[in-house]
């Protein structure tokens, strides 16, 4: 029996996608072999890859002047590559820190550039987005980097900051495709697939093409976005199975109604959980400023840590798994990406109410 899986990533996938992958596993459309056994340059996989890109462009309304790359290495590798590709040696880059992953991003670029933390909510425990007026921007920075949704701290930007002529680069790993986004406001968007786009092992990078002309820093061809764009993400062997699975997941999202439909579902799902937490009289608590609460990751604490273990055990027994919070924060975290059905969140909210009745 499949449980409702609230894992932060790798995360739950639509059951229909898993079933389709199961059906396709042994033999691909008369090719005599699995899609995972065929050359990435063969006609079968080339068609799968092209269709996944076309569907993703449709799902996210990606403008024509943006390249879409499908790369290995995870989001963390992209965090390093953005400095190598878009900033000159020693040039200043601005980072707005709103959680753990913004700190990771800055760590990855330190060897290559001069980092300026334009704003940070770390002193307040990453519970809010620093007010726009407090950001100390560098006028000629190579780029400004934000984390659209902080997966561990549960902090999400409610709107896109205006960075003027300085390109905005955003880590959308845990919120891509969760609502309509105006891609043209960004220079670069990157996202590991393992939350909203499919299985871990492939990362989507969406780059405004003029940025590919930047000199950046001395780097090997395999670290060069321009070369990847020219080589259609096949400079080396791409993660073909993951690319195929991403394509299935994107098709599923389109069939369900696209990002507008998911925005409605995600608003309802997150509202239900935050309401349950806020109306528990302190039995549960979420400490994030309501204006910055994530629609994707809902971290919460029980009023008594002695209840953490029974909560997790009883939840698992009720078919609700992977609710343990990240070790950096403790407590609980419910990740409710696009593939988490509303029924799963309703079951969690009902369980939380019931648990409180029995232990409150
Ligand atoms: N950024 C964000 C927002 C994330 O949630 C994660 C992974 N949880 C990462 C970056 C790192 O991704 P990866 O493990 O794919 O390198």
């Amino acid at each position: 029996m499949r449980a409702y899986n609230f894992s932060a990533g790798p995360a739950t996938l639509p059951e229909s996608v898993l079933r389709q992958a199961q059906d396709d596993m042994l033999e691909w459309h008369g090719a005599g072999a699995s899609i995972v056994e065929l050359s990435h340059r063969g006609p079968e996989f080339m068609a799968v890859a092209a269709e996944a890109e076309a569907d993703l462009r449709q799902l996210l309304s990606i403008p024509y002047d943006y390249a879409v790359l499908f790369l290995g290495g995870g989001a963390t590798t992209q965090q390093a590559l953005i400095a190598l590709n878009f900033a000159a040696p020693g040039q200043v880059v601005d980072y707005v820190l709103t959680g753990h992953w913004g700190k990771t991003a800055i760590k990855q670029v330190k060897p290559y550039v001069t980092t300026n933390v334009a704003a940070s909510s770390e002193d307040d425990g990453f519970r809010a987005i620093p007010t726009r007026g407090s950001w100390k921007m560098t006028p000629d920075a190579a780029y400004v980097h934000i984390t659209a949704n902080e997966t561990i701290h549960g902090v999400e930007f409610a709107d896109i900051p205006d960075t003027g002529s300085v390109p905005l680069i955003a880590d959308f790993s845990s919120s891509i495709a969760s609502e309509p986004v105006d891609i043209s406001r960004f220079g670069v968007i990157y996202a590991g697939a393992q939350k909203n786009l499919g299985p871990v092992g492939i990362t989507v990078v969406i780059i405004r093409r003029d940025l590919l002309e930047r000199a950046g820093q001395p780097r090997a061809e395999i670290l060069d976005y321009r070369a990847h764009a020219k080589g259609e993400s096949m400079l080396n062997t791409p993660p073909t199975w993951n690319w195929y699975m991403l394509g299935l997941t994107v098709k599923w999202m389109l069939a369900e109604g696209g990002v507008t439909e998911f925005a409605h579902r995600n608003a309802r799902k997150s509202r239900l959980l935050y309401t349950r937490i806020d109306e528990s009289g302190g039995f549960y608590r979420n400490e994030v400023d309501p204006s910055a609460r994530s629609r994707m990751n809902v971290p919460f604490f029980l009023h008594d840590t002695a209840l953490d273990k029974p909560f997790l055990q009883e939840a698992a027994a009720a078919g609700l798994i992977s609710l343990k919070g990240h070790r950096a924060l403790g407590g609980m975290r419910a990740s409710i990406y696009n593939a988490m059905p509303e029924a799963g969140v309703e079951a969690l909210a009902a369980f939380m109410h019931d648990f409180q009745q029995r232990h409150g």
Side-chain angles (χ1 to χ4, degrees), residues 23 45 51 124 148 162 292-293 308 311 344:
D23 285 352
F45 185 75
E51 193 169 333
D124 301 320
D162 182 1
R293 281 175 164 181
D308 285 1
F311 182 90

Side-chain angles (χ1 to χ4, degrees), residues 47-119:
V48 166
E51 193 169 333
E53 179 175 339
D55 285 344
L56 187 68
R57 282 183 177 276
Q58 186 190 339
L59 180 74
L60 302 180
S61 304
I62 301 174
Y64 289 115
D65 58 333
Y66 283 70
V68 180
L69 307 183
F70 297 85
L71 305 176
T76 311
T77 301
Q78 315 316 316
Q79 293 178 334
L81 294 188
I82 54 178
L84 284 175
N85 282 269
F86 304 124
Q91 197 179 359
V92 177
V93 295
D94 283 350
Y95 279 70
V96 177
L97 300 188
T98 54
H100 173 94
W101 294 107
K103 289 183 72 175
T104 308
I106 211 165
K107 197 164 91 191
Q108 298 306 324
V109 302
K110 281 249 159 92
Y112 309 118
V113 285
T114 304
T115 52
N116 171 46
V117 176

Side-chain angles (χ1 to χ4, degrees), residues 73-77 79 101 147 149-151 171 173-174 192 194-195:
T76 311
T77 301
Q79 293 178 334
W101 294 107
T147 310
N149 180 63
E150 280 285 353
T151 319
D171 178 353
S173 291
S174 49
Q194 65 266 31
K195 290 102 163 52

Side-chain angles (χ1 to χ4, degrees), residues 20-260:
Q20 180 74 48
Q22 187 178 37
D23 285 352
D24 289 347
M25 188 60 163
L26 274 184
E27 206 262 324
W28 180 256
H29 301 202
S34 171
I35 191 71
V36 76
E37 300 170 300
L38 292 165
S39 165
H40 55 296
R41 298 196 186 282
E44 297 89 356
F45 185 75
M46 291 293 270
V48 166
E51 193 169 333
E53 179 175 339
D55 285 344
L56 187 68
R57 282 183 177 276
Q58 186 190 339
L59 180 74
L60 302 180
S61 304
I62 301 174
Y64 289 115
D65 58 333
Y66 283 70
V68 180
L69 307 183
F70 297 85
L71 305 176
T76 311
T77 301
Q78 315 316 316
Q79 293 178 334
L81 294 188
I82 54 178
L84 284 175
N85 282 269
F86 304 124
Q91 197 179 359
V92 177
V93 295
D94 283 350
Y95 279 70
V96 177
L97 300 188
T98 54
H100 173 94
W101 294 107
K103 289 183 72 175
T104 308
I106 211 165
K107 197 164 91 191
Q108 298 306 324
V109 302
K110 281 249 159 92
Y112 309 118
V113 285
T114 304
T115 52
N116 171 46
V117 176
S120 170
S121 54
E122 185 167 19
D123 288 348
D124 301 320
F126 290 130
R127 294 193 183 109
I129 304 281
T131 50
R132 212 58 55 83
S134 70
W135 295 17
K136 304 258 184 313
M137 313 297 286
T138 310
D140 57 352
Y143 60 77
V144 182
H145 181 282
I146 62 167
T147 310
N149 180 63
E150 280 285 353
T151 319
I152 294 174
H153 289 88
V155 173
E156 184 174 17
F157 276 84
D159 51 19
I160 305 167
D162 182 1
T163 54
S165 59
V166 180
L168 178 60
I169 298 187
D171 178 353
F172 262 90
S173 291
S174 49
S175 58
I176 194 158
S178 65
E179 64 178 346
V181 167
D182 181 359
I183 305 265
S184 72
R185 300 275 310 277
F186 296 87
V188 179
I189 283 175
Y190 63 93
Q194 65 266 31
K195 290 102 163 52
N196 256 345
L197 295 179
V200 65
I202 192 158
T203 306
V204 166
V205 191
I206 304 167
I207 308 174
R208 208 176 67 211
R209 287 189 198 275
D210 64 295
L211 292 172
L212 293 173
E213 301 308 317
R214 284 200 179 177
Q217 321 229 348
R219 58 197 182 277
E221 186 193 39
I222 198 70
L223 306 180
D224 184 43
Y225 282 139
R226 195 181 327 148
H228 280 292
K230 206 159 159 248
E232 302 191 323
S233 307
M234 295 201 190
L235 277 190
N236 65 333
T237 320
T240 54
W241 178 253
N242 313 66
W243 198 331
Y244 152 79
M245 288 284 285
L246 180 147
L248 288 186
T249 310
V250 168
K251 230 181 234 320
W252 171 80
M253 288 191 268
L254 285 171
E256 291 288 308
V259 291
T260 308

